[in-house]
Amino acid sequence: MFIYISIAIGTFPSLLHSRFLVGFSGILVVICSVLIAIGLTSAFGYPLSMISVEVVPFLILAIGVDNMFIISMTERKAKQ
């Protein structure tokens, strides 16, 4: 999934317009935000349920990936 998103966010054959690092850093930001949220929840002593451990990270990843594609498409259209 990481490789697909990193490649699909730009134009693949071009090294200049590939945006591989943009896709990879977007995924990294989403993963770090989930880890920090779970860490803060544990630090404050909040009990974690199965939904917050199994469902929420995938939901946040899906929303974050969708936003990366929207931002990339808008930036591409603005240059034209």
Side-chain angles (χ1 to χ4, degrees):
M1 183 171 147
F2 299 122
I3 294 171
Y4 167 73
I5 293 168
S6 299
I7 291 173
I9 206 162
T11 54
F12 177 63
S14 173
L15 291 176
L16 181 63
H17 302 291
S18 69
R19 295 190 183 104
F20 181 80
L21 290 177
V22 173
F24 186 74
S25 63
I27 294 170
L28 190 65
V29 165
V30 170
I31 290 172
C32 287
S33 67
V34 169
L35 291 176
I36 289 171
I38 290 174
L40 285 175
T41 303
S42 297
F44 289 130
Y46 237 35
L48 290 174
S49 66
M50 292 303 285
I51 291 176
S52 62
V53 175
E54 293 180 358
V55 175
V56 172
F58 291 108
L59 182 65
I60 292 173
L61 184 64
I63 292 170
V65 167
D66 183 49
N67 287 340
M68 282 189 301
F69 279 109
I70 291 172
I71 290 170
S72 176
M73 182 183 64
T74 304
E75 186 262 336
R76 209 176 295 149
K77 284 183 179 181
K79 286 186 178 180
Q80 295 174 357

